[in-house]
């Protein structure tokens, strides 16, 4: 169990060669400062994916004592460190992130993606996160299946959230002031009770997949409120799209249904 204040001088990998999973538990209020270019990686697998090495991350953040992963610099800037990777091999039953702030990362490719938090072929529980000031995306995920709730993804230099395949439930999110889109990608996605605002390009940029959106507010974005560039199936109800610089909703084909 880690408590208080830590400095990561090198990459840290949490996994075991065989079950049970190795685990890292973070006590309430832990502050972890990470050296330039270094990352924290949970779980591992062989390049072919045939052998999985299990690992777990168990942060015990609370509303009054959140966990923070940040830059070790006295004058932090986006990209000071790599990021947190929940990789294939992450123990889904025990890994969760709750009341965590991850900031100033996004400078290293983790499983082919760069972000403060990368979730790759893992199914963690994610809630009450602040993902901000990344050099790239706030959160990038691929081939995963999880719920992200009650979280803020803001002021990242590219997308707030990048999705590449998988199944996701997104609830009560604030995604604003990112350098590209609020949410970008493809997959099977349910988005509810969320605000996508003041992002540099679209609030929502969809390429393919099945998207169900309800009670969303998409406002003040730099181009379109929402845009589909491919063959996505999109169902949107009880939502507001207003005050965006371009169109409210731009479709790739006049025959595409929303």
């Amino acid at each position: 169990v880690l408590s208080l204040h830590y400095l990561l001088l090198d990459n840290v990998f949490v996994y075991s060669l065989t079950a049970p999973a190795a685990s890292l538990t973070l006590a309430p209020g832990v502050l972890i400062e990470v050296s330039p270019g270094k990352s924290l990686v949970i779980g591992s697998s062989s390049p072919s994916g045939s052998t999985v090495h299990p690992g777990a991350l168990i942060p015990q953040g609370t509303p009054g004592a959140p966990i923070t992963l940040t830059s070790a610099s006295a004058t932090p800037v986006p990209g000071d460190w790599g990021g947190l990777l929940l990789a294939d091999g992450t123990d889904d039953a025990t890994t969760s992130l709750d009341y965590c702030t991850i900031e100033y990362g996004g400078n290293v490719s983790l499983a082919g993606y760069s972000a403060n938090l990368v979730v790759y072929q893992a199914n963690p529980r994610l809630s009450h996160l602040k993902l901000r000031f990344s050099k790239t995306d706030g959160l990038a995920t691929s081939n995963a299946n999880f719920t992200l709730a009650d979280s803020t993804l803001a002021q990242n230099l590219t997308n707030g959230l990048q999705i590449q395949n998988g199944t996701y439930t997104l609830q009560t999110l604030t995604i604003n002031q990112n350098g590209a889109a609020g949410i970008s990608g493809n997959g099977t996605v349910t988005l509810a009770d969320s605000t996508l605002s003041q992002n540099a390009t679209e609030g929502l940029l969809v390429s393919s997949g099945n998207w169900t959106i309800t009670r969303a507010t998409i406002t003040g974005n730099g181009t379109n409120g929402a845009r589909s560039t491919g063959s996505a199936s999109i169902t949107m109800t009880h939502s507001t799209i207003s005050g965006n610089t371009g169109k409210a909703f731009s479709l790739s084909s006049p025959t595409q249904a929303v």
Side-chain angles (χ1 to χ4, degrees), residues 44-53 88-89 120-121:
S44 179
S45 65
S46 63
S48 66
S50 59
T51 303
V52 173
H53 304 307
D88 186 17
Y120 179 72
Q121 295 185 355

Side-chain angles (χ1 to χ4, degrees), residues 4 7 31 79 121 141 228 248 251 258:
L4 302 179
L7 174 64
L31 171 64
Q121 295 185 355
T141 179
S228 172
L251 300 178
V258 177

